[in-house]
Amino acid sequence: MWEIIKTSIPEILIAGLKYTIPIAIISFILGIIIASITALIRMSTPKGNPLKKGFWHFLKAFFTFYVWLFRSTPLLVQLFIVFYGLPSIGIQLGAWTAGILTFSLNTGAYASETIRASILAVPQDQWEAAYSIGLPYHKVLSRVIFPQAIRIAIPPLSNSFIGLVKDTSLASSITLVEMFMVSQEIASHNYQPMLMYSIVAIIYAIFCSLLSLLQLYLEKRFEVK
């Protein structure tokens, strides 16, 4: 048993560092970009001529539907639709592309609500003070509101990232190599599924514990006072 543990742990760790963590980081960054755009569009007030207002209302409806859809369906089902379902309508995606796309869209849907709530949590007088000195809307957001909102959003967004690291285990269902899939492959050779799944669970726990420590540091570093 000890020999199996000594030989399997490096393989699983390498898969985690080479695939699991990069998948989570890339998906989270893309998800935050999607979430920011989604939150801002859903919070905006349409202005201008009727055509422009109509287009903006369509955008708001589209992003509202997107958030509802990805928050209302299981992540595993989303992965299957993107990887196994889309080819039936002529859209063929590789496992990496399908995995990152799905994780990014799923993260974006949930994180958009976090970002939207964080922006709304910034006191209204901050907006009024910024407008009173002549700052345009985009500068009010980038220089005044967003820096404060991000400090508020750090704890829930950190939790989202930790959750995403664990959710990458679902990528094995679409043939994407990561820690859980490597553990399954090793178990199929040594016939020790309980041992292998316990090892990968411990490694996931270690990764997430380290990320939790990083979260605590960031919360103290950017603590809202």
Side-chain angles (χ1 to χ4, degrees):
M1 184 180 75
W2 290 111
E3 189 63 31
I4 293 175
I5 293 174
K6 285 193 296 184
T7 56
S8 60
I9 285 179
E11 290 185 51
I12 297 174
L13 277 175
I14 289 172
L17 296 173
K18 191 175 180 180
Y19 300 108
T20 300
I21 296 300
I23 290 170
I25 291 174
I26 294 170
S27 299
F28 188 72
I29 291 173
L30 293 175
I32 291 300
I33 294 172
I34 295 170
S36 299
I37 294 171
T38 301
L40 290 175
I41 288 178
R42 293 185 67 199
M43 291 177 64
S44 63
T45 302
K47 296 178 180 179
N49 57 56
L51 183 61
K52 187 176 180 180
K53 283 184 177 181
F55 174 72
W56 206 254
H57 279 300
F58 168 78
L59 277 182
K60 292 183 71 172
F62 173 81
F63 279 101
T64 299
F65 174 77
Y66 150 66
V67 171
W68 169 81
L69 179 65
F70 277 84
R71 282 166 55 91
S72 303
T73 53
L75 177 55
L76 183 60
V77 174
Q78 295 166 15
L79 284 166
F80 270 59
I81 289 174
V82 173
F83 186 68
Y84 296 112
L86 290 183
S88 64
I89 59 173
I91 303 175
Q92 188 81 37
L93 299 176
W96 262 86
T97 304
I100 289 176
L101 176 62
T102 307
F103 287 132
S104 299
L105 290 172
N106 184 273
T107 299
Y110 282 93
S112 69
E113 292 295 275
T114 299
I115 292 175
R116 188 165 69 95
S118 300
I119 292 174
L120 291 173
V122 177
Q124 184 63 32
D125 58 11
Q126 296 291 308
W127 292 86
E128 295 170 357
Y131 283 131
S132 68
I133 60 175
L135 289 178
Y137 177 75
H138 67 279
K139 288 188 177 180
V140 173
L141 274 177
S142 61
R143 296 184 181 183
V144 180
I145 305 303
F146 248 56
Q148 297 181 69
I150 290 300
R151 292 159 73 107
I152 298 170
I154 283 176
L157 289 180
S158 298
N159 289 333
S160 296
F161 180 67
I162 293 172
L164 178 58
V165 171
K166 292 183 289 185
D167 286 342
T168 56
S169 61
L170 295 174
S172 63
S173 63
I174 60 169
T175 73
L176 187 58
V177 177
E178 43 70 55
M179 290 197 300
F180 184 59
M181 185 174 187
V182 170
S183 71
Q184 287 179 306
E185 291 175 349
I186 297 174
S188 68
H189 290 93
N190 62 25
Y191 304 105
Q192 296 286 342
M194 181 63 181
L195 177 60
M196 300 315 305
Y197 298 155
S198 297
I199 289 173
V200 76
I202 291 170
I203 293 175
Y204 269 112
I206 291 171
F207 279 0
C208 292
S209 297
L210 292 174
L211 290 171
S212 295
L213 291 175
L214 177 60
Q215 176 184 353
L216 289 174
Y217 167 77
L218 291 174
E219 288 179 11
K220 291 181 179 178
R221 176 68 176 80
F222 298 99
E223 183 177 4
V224 179
K225 298 180 180 178

